[in-house]
Amino acid sequence: MKNSTKKERFLLVVLKLIHRKGFKATTMRDIAHELNFEVANVYNYIDSKQSLLEGYLFDIQDEFHKAIDTILATPHSPNEKLRLLVASYIGITTRRPYHQALLVNEWRNLKEPQLQEFVSRRKDYENKMRGIIAEGIEEDQFRANDVEMMAQTILATLRWLHNKCLDSETIINPLEIEKQLLDFIFTGISKK
Amino acid sequence: MKNSTKKERFLLVVLKLIHRKGFKATTMRDIAHELNFEVANVYNYIDSKQSLLEGYLFDIQDEFHKAIDTILATPHSPNEKLRLLVASYIGITTRRPYHQALLVNEWRNLKEPQLQEFVSRRKDYENKMRGIIAEGIEEDQFRANDVEMMAQTILATLRWLHNKCLDSETIINPLEIEKQLLDFIFTGISKK
DNA sequence: TATTTACATGAACAATTGTTCATGTAAATA
DNA sequence: TATTTACATGAACAATTGTTCATGTAAATA
């Protein structure tokens, strides 16, 4: 109980530190210093530096997967599903921007076999997304461009968002962001 | 002459190595081994590991800056300028995908004061892009959304492209990619 | 031919890295 | 009260890191 709260604090402080310095550049001594205790004590909280990264990444990756699976289980149209997916993506990102930043920036630092697992799970996610898009094209809801390219450009757009959540001085409004990103993805920047 | 060719080969081989392993994870010994000579000899080609990264990044960053400045000097409409900008971005990326991958993935590993300089130059680029967009909104060519967000989402879309150039087994067609990305950015995925 | 240049080696360096171990202590639990 | 648990320290480790130095050699240049 109190136990878990203390560990949670540890994980949050370290997450922000890693976000600031980068995973490779963050040493065990940096972590200890940030928490005002000695290096050896870090190992009372975690097993290793690698397992720390794995914990953060698989945790947030799981959240994204649960979200897409929930949406796939609904009876909505492809168009609606994609809108829901974008909304859920934005929700997770605004709720957990540090985790998302780590997911985007530091996944390369995973080692085998976790790297393999991570990439393969991400591919799962992308495949599900491609499924929605392909269906939408079939039903004539989406423009018939390359499905892979469409999925990746949409994801690229969404993956940028954590920067906005973390860097900007202004407080962000998730609903306003959602509106604008949906606008961009579905109808582009041109005024018709 | 022969000198420069040999150094060029060195830089290309090492660029690919760094792209494969990541900058931090690539040791001077890795570099030497990749080129079949001893560690000490690496210093006959470069001054330091840091200067190597700086060389790659400022080189490609320069190319992007020259491109946008050329476009800004034309008398085209904002709409046309943005199309040209996207086209030039795609051109650079397809011509030098390894450099672009480094630019996107490894700029965080620059140290001060180069990091400062890099970020400030990138901000310049983004400001010029925002200028085009703001002008386009004024002239009623673009939808009146948040300029910052529009610039960043367009850039996010473009920054993904190097993956396509490097990872895919299929040979890419720059013109086809240009068409599809312009499609996405200007008119979105919806079939109207 | 004499000398400079470009490219190469091997040994060594000081600093930094993640991790372990023996040990301590205050609080929670039995 | 006795004992377990959670959290903490300090010293040490073996490995890895970027870099330097003295030295060599074949080819290009003077």
Side-chain angles (χ1 to χ4, degrees):
Chain A
M1 314 294 122
K2 193 192 253 177
N3 168 13
S4 103
T5 321
K6 195 144 196 183
K7 177 151 189 191
E8 274 165 25
R9 189 190 109 85
F10 171 92
L11 287 176
L12 188 64
V13 170
V14 174
L15 174 60
K16 290 182 182 175
L17 178 67
I18 291 177
H19 171 257
R20 187 152 25 94
K21 303 199 64 166
F23 177 72
K24 276 250 160 82
T26 304
T27 68
M28 298 305 268
R29 281 155 186 84
D30 290 334
I31 292 175
H33 182 260
E34 186 80 6
L35 289 151
N36 290 309
F37 52 55
E38 300 301 315
V39 206
N41 194 26
V42 177
Y43 288 88
N44 284 320
Y45 293 84
I46 56 168
D47 288 338
S48 67
K49 200 188 169 191
Q50 278 300 313
S51 74
L52 183 62
L53 182 64
E54 293 159 16
Y56 290 128
L57 295 190
F58 285 112
D59 178 16
I60 183 82
Q61 197 187 44
D62 254 25
E63 197 165 338
F64 279 106
H65 276 78
K66 278 175 190 150
I68 199 171
D69 285 337
T70 305
I71 291 166
L72 284 178
T74 66
H76 291 101
S77 73
N79 194 302
E80 266 309 312
K81 277 183 187 164
L82 192 57
R83 285 178 183 274
L84 287 172
L85 187 61
V86 169
S88 85
Y89 203 108
I90 295 171
I92 296 172
T93 305
T94 49
R95 247 179 295 116
R96 306 179 77 189
Y98 288 101
H99 279 85
Q100 168 65 352
L102 225 64
L103 193 75
V104 171
N105 295 324
E106 308 284 7
W107 63 270
R108 278 163 227 268
N109 292 311
L110 286 172
K111 292 191 178 154
E112 300 298 357
Q114 286 80 12
L115 181 58
Q116 272 275 337
E117 196 195 330
F118 177 89
V119 172
S120 131
R121 285 182 59 88
R122 192 184 52 186
K123 200 161 279 178
D124 279 353
Y125 186 94
E126 293 170 359
N127 279 335
K128 289 171 183 171
M129 195 166 163
R130 274 198 284 274
I132 299 178
I133 295 173
E135 214 184 318
I137 293 177
E138 263 176 47
E139 298 186 13
D140 224 37
Q141 293 170 0
F142 303 144
R143 190 188 308 274
N145 276 349
D146 183 65
V147 176
E148 162 75 0
M149 175 104 76
M150 289 169 88
Q152 293 298 339
T153 47
I154 293 171
L155 281 171
T157 305
L158 295 172
R159 275 193 209 113
W160 152 82
L161 185 56
H162 66 271
N163 293 303
K164 177 98 176 161
C165 300
L166 291 171
D167 293 0
S168 98
E169 292 90 15
T170 57
I171 299 138
I172 57 151
N173 177 349
L175 284 181
E176 178 59 23
I177 285 180
E178 189 180 313
K179 186 201 158 300
Q180 297 211 13
L181 282 183
L182 284 171
D183 248 27
F184 178 73
I185 292 170
F186 281 83
T187 59
I189 68 168
S190 278
K191 196 156 185 179
K192 59 142 182 291
Chain B
M1 316 293 120
K2 193 194 250 174
N3 167 13
S4 103
T5 320
K6 195 145 195 184
K7 177 150 188 190
E8 273 164 26
R9 188 190 109 86
F10 171 93
L11 286 177
L12 187 65
V13 169
V14 174
L15 174 61
K16 289 182 182 174
L17 178 66
I18 291 178
H19 170 257
R20 186 152 26 92
K21 303 200 65 166
F23 177 72
K24 275 251 160 82
T26 305
T27 69
M28 297 306 266
R29 280 155 188 86
D30 290 334
I31 292 174
H33 182 258
E34 187 79 5
L35 289 149
N36 289 310
F37 53 54
E38 298 302 314
V39 206
N41 194 26
V42 177
Y43 289 88
N44 285 319
Y45 292 84
I46 56 167
D47 288 337
S48 67
K49 199 189 169 190
Q50 277 300 314
S51 73
L52 183 62
L53 182 64
E54 292 159 18
Y56 290 128
L57 295 191
F58 286 111
D59 178 16
I60 184 80
Q61 197 187 45
D62 253 25
E63 197 165 338
F64 280 106
H65 276 78
K66 279 175 191 149
I68 198 171
D69 286 336
T70 305
I71 292 167
L72 284 178
T74 66
H76 292 101
S77 72
N79 194 302
E80 265 309 314
K81 278 183 185 163
L82 193 57
R83 283 176 185 275
L84 287 172
L85 187 62
V86 170
S88 85
Y89 203 108
I90 294 170
I92 296 171
T93 304
T94 49
R95 248 180 294 115
R96 307 178 76 191
Y98 288 100
H99 279 86
Q100 167 65 353
L102 226 63
L103 193 75
V104 171
N105 295 323
E106 308 284 5
W107 64 270
R108 279 163 227 267
N109 291 311
L110 286 173
K111 290 191 179 158
E112 300 298 357
Q114 287 81 12
L115 181 59
Q116 272 276 335
E117 194 194 332
F118 177 89
V119 171
S120 130
R121 285 181 60 88
R122 192 184 52 184
K123 200 163 280 179
D124 278 355
Y125 186 94
E126 292 170 358
N127 279 333
K128 288 170 184 172
M129 194 165 165
R130 274 196 284 274
I132 299 178
I133 295 173
E135 214 184 318
I137 293 177
E138 262 176 47
E139 298 186 14
D140 225 36
Q141 293 170 0
F142 302 144
R143 190 188 307 275
N145 276 348
D146 183 65
V147 176
E148 162 75 2
M149 175 103 78
M150 289 169 88
Q152 293 298 339
T153 47
I154 294 171
L155 282 172
T157 304
L158 294 172
R159 275 192 208 115
W160 153 83
L161 184 57
H162 66 270
N163 292 304
K164 178 96 176 163
C165 300
L166 291 172
D167 293 0
S168 97
E169 293 90 14
T170 57
I171 299 137
I172 57 151
N173 177 351
L175 284 181
E176 178 59 22
I177 284 180
E178 189 179 313
K179 187 203 157 296
Q180 296 211 14
L181 282 184
L182 284 171
D183 247 26
F184 177 73
I185 292 170
F186 281 83
T187 59
I189 67 168
S190 278
K191 196 158 185 181
K192 58 141 184 289

